[in-house]
Amino acid sequence: MSAFKRTTVTSGLQRQSILAPLRETQIISSKPVLPAEILSTILDYLPIQELLRFARVSKRMREMVYDDTRWVPRLQLMGCWNESEARRRAEAARRKRLETLQSLQQQEAKKVGIGVNGAPNGTNGVEQPKRSSVTLFDAATEVQGRNHVNGDPPKTAVLELDDGFDALNLTHKERPVSYKAPDASSRLKVLSQVRSLRGFARQEYGRVYGALAPFYLNAVRCENHTNATIFRTYRDPDQQAQMLSNVTKFSNSDMAQGWQQRNEKFAALVAAFEQAVSREFEQALDDGDVGGKMRKYAHVLVSLNGGHNGVETFISRSSIISSRYQLGNPMDCLGQKGSGTYSAEQSVKFFSNLSTAFNEQVGILDQVFPASVNTVVPFVQRIAKKVIAEYLTALFDEAHRTNIEAYLKAVSITCEQCLEFAKSLRPTSASGDDFYEAVDEIIISIFEPHIDLYLREELEFFKKKSTSEVSNWEKRLSEQDASMESMFMANVNRQADKRDFLTSFKKVVMMPVNVLPVFPISSPFGSKPATAKALVNGETLPVPENASSQTSTRPSSPEIINGTTINANGATTPIPEPPTTELAAKAAIMNSRLEGIRSLFSIEVALNLVHMAKSSIERAAIFVKLGGGFAKDARFQCELVFISLLQTLGTRHIKAGFDQAVDHLSNYNPHETTDHKRSTVTPLITFLELVNVGDLIQQMIDVFYGQEMVAAKLTDRDDFLNPAVKEKKRFEQMLDERVAAGLNKGIDVLMAEVEHVYATVQKAEDFNPGASTGASPDVMDIGPSEAANQIVEIVSSHTKMLVGSTDKNMLDVFNQEVSMRLFAALCKHLKRQRISVNGSIKLISDMNHYFTYIQTLKNASLLQFFKALRELSQIYLVDPSDAKELATIIADGDRFYGIFRAEEVYQFAERRADWYQIKSKVEKAMYGIGCVVM
């Protein structure tokens, strides 16, 4: 619009300056009354006819109406605009234009250096202006220069490069000479022929509008649906459905005032048509005309709106839904094999019948509906909701009410059966590659309401069962102890001294275990994977070759029937005759406790707990297959079951058993034991057998953890923050500590037995022949004494028992401790003996015997101590006449490898039988007593 306005002339013929009109001109601002944004919003509510009339108002209004941003959203609402395709076409046009410009530059560059008459500087030898360089933007200037030289009129400058949206010229924009309306068949395909071209959205929408707008406007104005132009133009139901579908999409682009009422009227027309077609489809379904009308009208419904109504009609009238109670009764799964039991055969039969019926229905769906419609997944969803979910809910509720174990089995087994059922389903050609994944998601939705309750009940059931197993074991054990003790004390006069004894004995039993020096200990258990794996998997253990010559050390549930103890092997052991004295009763009670030390915890109980944990974890692990959040919850639940297993087995069973065993060992008194002829100390042997049982239990746990948890990817053994890994380490640490405490107490018991043998078996005549008779024997036995033989046999038998059940570090520490304690006991024993020259032969033999045993331990540091003892025994072999030589030996510290000082050797020399005869001579040689200073 012009911004200038002339003023009226006030004077007549006055002569004015030539600039006077310019001075008298006034600049008047003429801005639009409404901003462009409001005008654009108003245009959105105009009908198409009014919109085109508005474009004729001015050039500026035409630009607003013709802009692509007004027509592209309409095409997008109809689903006809593909932005990626439009971008791709724009990029192709830009590349083509760039290639054209480059080709033009190359042609002009060739013509620049060649004149008409051969002149080097141009047409007539006129020097041309110099150009520094030729770029993409010099093409227009180059063309104008060439045309000016040749006398041609200048051409329009080439468009500058931009984003290709506003100035894209691919086709001629002039209107065709004549406009031809599309025919009826082409109108059906008008939406599929729309192209996504930037700058031509108005033209593409115009073609759609010309084809579909008459049907749309006629349908919303028609009072009677049967009189609509669509039904008079198209007689075939399939074509009618296609046109209704096209017009429905076109109606989405109607944004003019009153579009809600128009859309409602047209939707009512489509609903009436769909209802009529659905009635025909239902009639064909009832008649069983699968390949005829049923297929025909199914395709009509698909052309209309995707066929959702037809699929829903087929599914709702399916024989599976109507006769679902005939597939199986959930109550048949319970109580078939006894009260509170679950029978998987009935649920298998239910899913088998359902799979067969479903695949038959899928075959019908494949014939009726086209391949473009996915009908199986909605069918599976309805079957899962109406059939499977109802069946499982009734089963789970009844099982949970009657028996928890049956409920746990029902949930896990039916979940596995559902997964197998999903694999047996038959997909259609339209199902796609993700059919089975979609079915798995449906299975997850079935079990989602039950998974939390199941996982909670699974953990509580295992805790209750494991606690009950250990409690029953402890109850049987306490009943056995009570019956044994009452039988032993039955024949004893109940006097005050007996009550005092019992009171003091209870105090001793209830005293805490003394804290002994702790030496570095690694895990004491060796490796028995084959045996442990067989126990975990429920296999039969191989029988050792020497099994017939050994008694079974495996703890079993003790039972006493009619005065007879029955062990796990079925053998009966008669109970010994009851004692008649209180001292004998005390010894019998202690002996029964020590004999029962191997039954303080049982491998049978541990095996039962492992099998219960295995069952719980395997049931919960089924839900890991479902994936998603269920998999995470199921893995965590499996870890909690494993942690509960370790806590029950370790703290409640094994730790308590070891603590009681150590208490019983601390109350052992070798003076109360009458049988010392055996080469073993009974309490230590039984404790070492207990260690062997603990070794086997730990190996079972290791195998179970590797097979059931790690191999099944239920936990990560490398994650040190994992609660299962942390609990397993605590379990192993507890075993290490209990075994270390027990072995310390066992060493005390072993040394007590050694000192008792020294006190009772070692004779005075062994190292001082003729001490009682006063005459030297005619024949001397140069072999080791009976006490030395018995002690070496006792110690060696116990150290050998740890071979194979503990690792090398623990075995070395145990052997070292036993050897050093034996060395101290020997030194103490020698200081209580009187040793003659003749008896020194027996002593040297004993020391050599001890040294030979220590050599078998293959510990060089221990050999030095017993070498020193062997050298020490030489001081008793020196003749009394060689007192000076004896003094030299006593004072020679290197002779004893620094183990004994001269003062200590002197104390051992005092135990010579003839010491008081040679004492003065020895002291004189050692200390110079009796010398006179000259």
Side-chain angles (χ1 to χ4, degrees):
M1 301 174 67
S2 178
F4 299 94
K5 182 178 181 181
R6 294 186 180 275
T7 60
T8 58
V9 179
T10 58
S11 59
L13 301 174
Q14 297 179 358
R15 184 177 182 84
Q16 297 179 354
S17 173
I18 193 173
L19 299 178
L22 294 177
R23 293 191 186 100
E24 295 177 358
T25 302
Q26 297 179 1
I27 301 177
I28 300 174
S29 177
S30 60
K31 296 182 179 179
V33 178
L34 296 176
E37 292 80 4
I38 297 180
L39 288 175
S40 178
T41 305
I42 294 174
L43 294 180
D44 291 337
Y45 292 94
L46 291 180
I48 300 299
Q49 297 87 344
E50 299 297 331
L51 196 62
L52 296 179
R53 293 193 186 98
F54 183 80
R56 301 175 186 174
V57 173
S58 66
K59 182 178 180 180
R60 184 180 179 186
M61 297 300 104
R62 187 185 65 178
E63 290 176 355
M64 293 181 65
V65 172
Y66 285 9
D67 188 51
D68 260 11
T69 57
R70 188 163 309 283
W71 305 100
V72 168
R74 295 177 182 270
L75 294 175
Q76 290 176 341
L77 290 174
M78 293 189 298
C80 299
W81 182 267
N82 189 339
E83 185 61 30
S84 351
E85 179 185 353
R87 187 181 298 109
R88 185 172 60 253
R89 290 176 180 270
E91 292 296 332
R94 293 179 62 181
R95 286 194 300 269
K96 185 175 181 181
R97 185 171 58 183
L98 180 60
E99 293 173 358
T100 303
L101 291 176
Q102 291 177 349
S103 175
L104 184 59
Q105 284 182 337
Q106 293 175 1
Q107 294 176 4
E108 294 297 330
K110 292 179 181 180
K111 297 179 181 180
V112 167
I114 304 175
V116 178
N117 299 321
N121 293 327
T123 306
N124 298 318
V126 180
E127 185 176 358
Q128 300 294 328
K130 295 183 179 180
R131 291 180 296 272
S132 59
S133 62
V134 178
T135 62
L136 178 63
F137 301 98
D138 296 330
T141 304
E142 185 70 26
V143 174
Q144 287 182 353
R146 295 300 299 171
N147 292 337
H148 178 70
V149 172
N150 298 330
D152 298 332
K155 296 182 179 180
T156 305
V158 180
L159 294 176
E160 295 181 356
L161 292 179
D162 52 15
D163 59 355
F165 187 83
D166 295 329
L168 180 62
N169 295 325
L170 297 180
T171 61
H172 199 275
K173 291 189 176 181
E174 294 183 0
R175 181 178 179 137
V177 177
S178 60
Y179 175 75
K180 183 179 180 181
D183 57 1
S185 59
S186 62
R187 293 174 188 268
L188 298 175
K189 303 177 182 179
V190 65
L191 293 181
S192 61
Q193 296 175 353
V194 175
R195 297 177 299 172
S196 301
L197 291 174
R198 288 180 178 175
F200 294 89
R202 180 177 58 86
Q203 289 86 339
E204 295 297 326
Y205 183 79
R207 291 195 302 109
V208 175
Y209 185 87
L212 302 180
F215 294 107
Y216 175 65
L217 297 176
N218 174 262
V220 298
R221 294 169 184 168
C222 187
E223 296 295 336
N224 190 354
H225 295 159
T226 57
N227 297 330
T229 307
I230 295 178
F231 302 124
R232 290 186 283 107
T233 305
Y234 301 97
R235 294 298 182 180
D236 182 59
D238 193 22
Q239 291 182 347
Q240 293 174 351
Q242 292 181 31
M243 180 53 65
L244 287 175
S245 176
N246 292 342
V247 176
T248 301
K249 295 177 181 178
F250 173 76
S251 65
N252 295 330
S253 66
D254 183 9
M255 296 182 291
Q257 187 176 5
W259 63 269
Q260 295 95 338
Q261 293 80 3
R262 291 191 293 273
N263 283 346
E264 291 176 359
K265 290 183 179 180
F266 187 78
L269 173 64
V270 174
F273 177 79
E274 184 179 14
Q275 185 177 5
V277 175
S278 298
R279 285 196 299 269
E280 295 294 333
F281 180 81
E282 292 179 6
Q283 184 64 36
L285 179 61
D286 295 337
D287 297 340
D289 189 4
V290 176
K293 291 185 178 180
M294 190 174 175
R295 175 183 173 85
K296 174 183 177 181
Y297 290 109
H299 282 68
V300 171
L301 292 174
V302 170
S303 300
L304 179 64
N305 54 14
H308 303 294
N309 193 11
V311 175
E312 181 65 23
T313 302
F314 179 88
I315 294 175
S316 60
R317 299 170 67 91
S318 173
S319 59
I320 298 179
I321 305 296
S322 58
S323 60
R324 56 184 179 276
Y325 299 110
Q326 300 178 4
L327 298 174
N329 187 359
M331 300 300 106
D332 294 340
C333 300
L334 302 175
Q336 293 289 332
K337 299 180 181 180
S339 177
T341 60
Y342 170 74
S343 177
E345 291 78 7
Q346 297 298 324
S347 57
V348 169
K349 183 178 179 182
F350 166 77
F351 284 107
S352 177
N353 296 336
L354 181 59
S355 175
T356 303
F358 180 84
N359 290 332
E360 291 178 357
Q361 295 291 307
V362 169
I364 298 176
L365 286 174
D366 231 354
Q367 298 179 27
V368 173
F369 291 92
S372 59
V373 182
N374 187 3
T375 57
V376 179
V377 173
F379 194 24
V380 175
Q381 292 175 344
R382 184 63 61 84
I383 294 297
K385 182 179 180 181
K386 291 295 184 180
V387 181
I388 301 179
E390 291 182 2
Y391 179 88
L392 295 181
T393 300
L395 173 61
F396 295 161
D397 292 344
E398 181 65 21
H400 188 270
R401 187 183 63 83
T402 56
N403 187 275
I404 294 297
E405 186 175 5
Y407 166 76
L408 299 177
K409 291 181 179 179
V411 175
S412 60
I413 293 176
T414 52
C415 180
E416 185 74 19
Q417 291 173 352
C418 280
L419 295 176
E420 294 298 327
F421 166 76
K423 296 178 182 178
S424 66
L425 299 184
R426 169 191 167 189
T428 61
S429 55
S431 300
D433 298 333
D434 58 346
F435 168 72
Y436 291 105
E437 296 179 2
V439 175
D440 290 340
E441 293 294 331
I442 297 173
I443 298 299
I444 292 175
S445 66
I446 296 176
F447 284 90
E448 186 173 3
H450 308 283
I451 184 65
D452 292 336
L453 176 62
Y454 164 76
L455 294 178
R456 185 169 61 253
E457 292 289 354
E458 186 71 72
L459 181 60
E460 293 298 327
F461 174 77
F462 174 75
K463 288 182 178 180
K464 188 180 297 183
K465 288 284 291 183
S466 59
T467 303
S468 175
E469 181 73 19
V470 177
S471 299
N472 292 336
W473 165 261
E474 293 174 349
K475 182 179 179 180
R476 291 194 298 267
L477 191 63
S478 62
E479 289 176 354
Q480 178 186 0
D481 292 343
S483 61
M484 184 69 71
E485 184 171 346
S486 62
M487 184 199 66
F488 284 147
M489 300 301 297
N491 296 332
V492 177
N493 294 328
R494 302 183 178 274
Q495 299 173 354
D497 55 351
K498 183 200 69 168
R499 290 192 297 270
D500 295 340
F501 160 73
L502 290 177
T503 303
S504 61
F505 177 75
K506 291 181 179 179
K507 291 181 180 179
V508 173
V509 172
M510 297 302 293
M511 285 177 60
V513 180
N514 295 330
V515 180
L516 300 176
V518 180
F519 36 81
I521 299 177
S522 62
S523 179
F525 301 124
S527 177
K528 298 178 181 176
T531 305
K533 184 176 181 180
L535 289 175
V536 170
N537 296 330
E539 301 173 2
T540 304
L541 294 177
V543 181
E545 296 179 358
N546 56 352
S548 59
S549 61
Q550 298 179 354
T551 59
S552 174
T553 61
R554 176 182 176 182
S556 59
S557 302
E559 295 182 6
I560 299 178
I561 302 176
N562 298 329
T564 304
T565 302
I566 303 177
N567 55 25
N569 299 327
T572 58
T573 303
I575 298 177
E577 293 296 329
T580 56
T581 64
E582 185 168 351
L583 181 61
K586 174 183 176 182
I589 291 173
M590 183 58 64
N591 183 62
S592 66
R593 290 181 181 274
L594 294 176
E595 288 294 335
I597 198 172
R598 68 191 64 177
S599 298
L600 292 177
F601 61 81
S602 170
I603 196 173
E604 289 182 353
V605 174
L607 190 59
N608 292 337
L609 294 179
V610 169
H611 283 167
M612 285 190 291
K614 180 180 180 182
S615 300
S616 296
I617 290 176
E618 287 180 350
R619 287 196 296 263
I622 294 177
F623 293 92
V624 178
K625 301 177 183 178
L626 298 179
F630 288 167
K632 183 179 179 180
D633 295 341
R635 287 191 182 94
F636 182 68
Q637 197 72 14
C638 292
E639 291 178 350
L640 292 180
V641 172
F642 180 72
I643 291 173
S644 178
L645 167 66
L646 295 181
Q647 292 175 348
T648 304
L649 184 60
T651 305
R652 178 75 185 275
H653 191 56
I654 295 179
K655 184 178 182 294
F658 268 116
D659 291 342
Q660 294 182 29
V662 173
D663 289 341
H664 293 169
L665 280 175
S666 63
N667 293 308
Y668 174 76
N669 188 354
H671 298 286
E672 299 175 359
T673 305
T674 57
D675 186 9
H676 292 281
K677 295 182 181 180
R678 293 184 298 177
S679 62
T680 57
V681 180
T682 302
L684 184 55
I685 290 295
T686 52
F687 182 81
L688 295 179
E689 291 179 351
L690 199 66
V691 173
N692 289 331
V693 175
D695 169 32
L696 188 56
I697 290 176
Q698 182 179 1
Q699 299 305 318
M700 288 166 51
I701 294 298
D702 289 338
V703 173
F704 175 79
Y705 180 74
Q707 286 186 347
E708 299 297 326
M709 302 295 294
V710 178
K713 297 181 179 180
L714 300 178
T715 188
D716 183 9
R717 73 162 77 231
D718 297 328
D719 184 7
F720 62 91
L721 296 178
N722 188 279
V725 176
K726 293 166 65 176
E727 188 64 31
K728 185 172 182 292
K729 290 185 180 297
R730 281 194 289 266
F731 176 78
E732 295 171 351
Q733 183 180 2
M734 181 273 298
L735 278 180
D736 295 346
E737 294 173 353
R738 296 301 97 195
V739 171
L743 290 181
N744 277 329
K745 186 60 64 176
I747 292 174
D748 293 339
V749 172
L750 181 60
M751 291 301 106
E753 183 71 17
V754 168
E755 292 180 356
H756 183 74
V757 171
Y758 277 140
T760 57
V761 179
Q762 191 79 64
K763 300 177 181 178
E765 290 81 5
D766 289 343
F767 301 145
N768 190 8
S772 59
T773 60
S776 299
D778 297 334
V779 180
M780 293 291 298
D781 184 10
I782 62 174
S785 63
E786 181 183 355
N789 287 330
Q790 188 171 345
I791 288 174
V792 170
E793 188 174 359
I794 289 174
V795 175
S796 63
S797 62
H798 290 83
T799 55
K800 290 178 181 178
M801 285 192 64
L802 291 178
V803 177
S805 62
T806 59
D807 64 355
K808 187 178 183 302
N809 293 331
M810 171 59 106
L811 185 61
D812 291 343
V813 171
F814 180 77
N815 290 337
Q816 183 175 359
E817 185 69 16
V818 170
S819 301
M820 293 305 299
R821 298 280 288 274
L822 177 62
F823 172 80
L826 276 172
C827 294
K828 183 178 179 181
H829 178 61
L830 286 178
K831 292 180 180 180
R832 291 197 297 258
Q833 303 298 317
R834 280 295 175 184
I835 307 169
S836 63
V837 175
N838 292 333
S840 64
I841 303 297
K842 179 71 70 175
L843 177 61
I844 293 174
S845 298
D846 285 358
M847 295 304 164
N848 287 331
H849 191 45
Y850 292 132
F851 180 80
T852 302
Y853 161 69
I854 297 300
Q855 278 184 320
T856 60
L857 301 181
K858 298 180 180 181
N859 193 328
S861 62
L862 295 175
L863 287 177
Q864 298 295 328
F865 291 89
F866 286 87
K867 283 181 180 180
L869 278 177
R870 193 170 59 177
E871 293 295 334
L872 181 65
S873 64
Q874 302 293 328
I875 66 176
Y876 302 105
L877 189 61
V878 179
D879 192 81
S881 59
D882 297 330
K884 185 177 181 180
E885 181 67 24
L886 178 61
T888 303
I889 295 175
I890 293 175
D892 187 5
D894 296 337
R895 185 184 185 92
F896 304 102
Y897 305 99
I899 305 298
F900 298 110
R901 294 179 287 111
E903 293 80 1
E904 294 176 338
V905 179
Y906 181 82
Q907 293 177 0
F908 284 107
E910 290 177 343
R911 305 313 301 169
R912 285 179 61 101
D914 54 0
W915 174 249
Y916 293 103
Q917 301 175 8
I918 63 174
K919 177 180 178 180
S920 59
K921 297 179 181 180
V922 173
E923 290 180 347
K924 181 179 180 181
M926 290 181 64
Y927 307 114
I929 298 176
C931 297
V932 179
V933 179
M934 300 299 293

